[in-house]
Amino acid sequence: QRYALLASLADAEQIDAVLTGHTLDDQAETVLLHLLRGSGLDGLVGMLPDVILRFDALSVRVVRPLLEMRRADTEAYCAAFSLPYITDPTNAETRYTRNWVRQEIVPHLRERFHAVIPALGRVAAVSRDDVALLDMLAAEALVRCTEGRDGEDVVSLSQDAFAAEPPAIRRRIVRVLVEHFAGRMPRASHVDEILRGISHGTRGVKRDGVAFAPVYRHLIVGNTADVWRVVRDAVIQRHPLHRFVTPVMLEDRFTFAQGAGDGVSYALHVIPAFSLGSHRDTLAAGSVLLTLPPGQSLALRNRAPGDRVRPPHRNGSQLLQDYLSEQRIPAALRNEVPVLTCGGDIAWVLGYDVMQPYAVSGAATHIGLLSTL
């Protein structure tokens, strides 16, 4: 709140920079606080001697020229030159964590480590150099991982390229993206939560108003509504939506059409296997072959609760939702992938595998040729 007020005053008065009186003692307390909170290497940097702080549409340059001086030196200077200063009365209240560290923890540390304040100051200085290098490497890595942008709203990363980066770089990429889209630095715990979320499964994760959504080996990042739009478009490109679809029998052809009338439909030709040769042109168009037992009803629908499938090269069955997860289809969009059923059993997940026992074999008597009209 204080810095935000200083930013508004600096803007109103056209001031180039705000100088603060932070000392090396303040720096040591900050480093110690960040260490206790588990903020990682970035926390060990403490306060920067020269930094731009942003608050919504405002920003302010903060310079700390006394950061290498001790508090006792500044107090002695004020006393020697009779300079008045004000001490905040709340500084005496140890219910505030910084005051507790200053009045109770640091004195105990100084009893054993006399130079604890300069030592923590050196930690901040060394960490600052390390962080600068990591930031540069992370910026280069972000360029390598970025596959495209949807204007300024969404960034698309290669999941494989992102996963190949070292953990320290992945953490920084996440932090940079959250800061870009949310306008503020995320907490270290939030960054770790995001990394866990995008490393396990396909559900994605949302934090600080920024969404990270995996879809088809891409990682879509941006404000939540924009990410949802891009992810949905990516799924629709691969799988036209099929809500409330019903089959219509036309002699030896079933036509499955989208109920909303968006112009997408599928044709299924059921023919004897021995006459397959006359349909080579259809095969060349990219149709999918299935073994379809005669006398079974066919239907094209979305998934239903409890659906199970028997993927090829797998012993036994598994839940359809688990299969779709393995195909890296986002959880919110798995209902949009249509399935073809034969006698109530899932024979094919459109765009993916033909299930057992519907794969074509030498013993097949009927073949289904499915193609988009």
Side-chain angles (χ1 to χ4, degrees), residues 252-254 256 266-272 275-284 286-292 298 340 348 360 366-372:
D252 65 340
R253 171 184 293 189
F254 291 89
F256 303 92
Y266 289 87
L268 179 68
H269 304 263
V270 182
I271 61 174
S275 64
L276 183 59
S278 63
H279 293 263
R280 290 300 177 187
D281 291 341
T282 309
L283 289 178
S287 298
V288 174
L289 302 183
L290 303 92
T291 298
L292 298 174
L298 302 174
L340 176 72
W348 183 39
V360 171
H366 289 74
I367 300 292
L369 304 175
L370 193 65
S371 59
T372 304

Side-chain angles (χ1 to χ4, degrees), residues 17-190:
V18 172
L19 278 62
T20 71
H22 292 112
T23 65
L24 186 60
D25 296 70
D26 299 313
Q27 180 74 299
E29 294 162 6
T30 301
V31 170
L32 194 54
L33 281 167
H34 288 174
L35 180 63
L36 294 173
R37 290 169 177 158
S39 6
L41 184 60
D42 292 283
L44 298 184
V45 168
M47 294 179 286
L48 295 174
D50 192 338
V51 64
I52 303 293
L53 300 181
R54 292 178 173 81
F55 303 91
D56 296 326
L58 294 179
S59 64
V60 60
R61 180 186 179 195
V62 175
V63 181
R64 302 180 175 104
L66 308 180
L67 205 54
E68 295 183 2
M69 297 186 66
R70 297 295 302 273
R71 182 180 296 129
D73 295 332
T74 60
E75 291 172 348
Y77 185 92
C78 290
F81 290 90
S82 301
L83 299 178
Y85 62 89
I86 298 173
T87 299
D88 186 340
T90 63
N91 285 350
E93 299 180 22
T94 55
R95 63 192 179 97
Y96 296 114
T97 305
R98 179 179 285 274
N99 297 341
W100 171 75
V101 167
R102 176 180 299 162
Q103 297 180 33
E104 298 189 14
I105 301 303
V106 170
H108 282 297
L109 290 173
R110 194 181 291 117
E111 290 176 5
R112 182 64 62 93
F113 303 99
H114 302 297
V116 63
I117 299 298
L120 290 171
R122 285 195 299 275
V123 168
V126 171
S127 299
R128 190 158 59 242
D129 292 337
D130 293 345
V131 164
L133 174 60
L134 285 171
D135 284 343
M136 182 183 72
L137 295 175
E140 294 172 353
L142 180 56
V143 172
R144 286 195 300 272
C145 294
T146 300
E147 293 183 323
R149 291 176 175 269
D150 187 342
E152 291 299 318
D153 301 325
V154 170
V155 172
S156 174
L157 306 180
S158 163
Q159 259 191 303
D160 293 332
F162 179 78
E165 296 293 339
I169 300 300
R170 292 202 302 269
R171 189 174 292 111
R172 285 190 128 54
I173 289 175
V174 167
R175 193 189 69 179
V176 166
L177 290 173
V178 171
E179 185 179 11
H180 172 75
F181 287 108
R184 59 184 179 275
M185 189 74 73
R187 293 183 177 181
S189 59
H190 290 181

Side-chain angles (χ1 to χ4, degrees), residues 330-351:
L333 299 176
R334 290 172 196 159
N335 286 337
E336 313 293 0
V337 179
V339 297
L340 176 72
T341 65
C342 179
D345 192 26
I346 294 178
W348 183 39
V349 178
L350 273 69

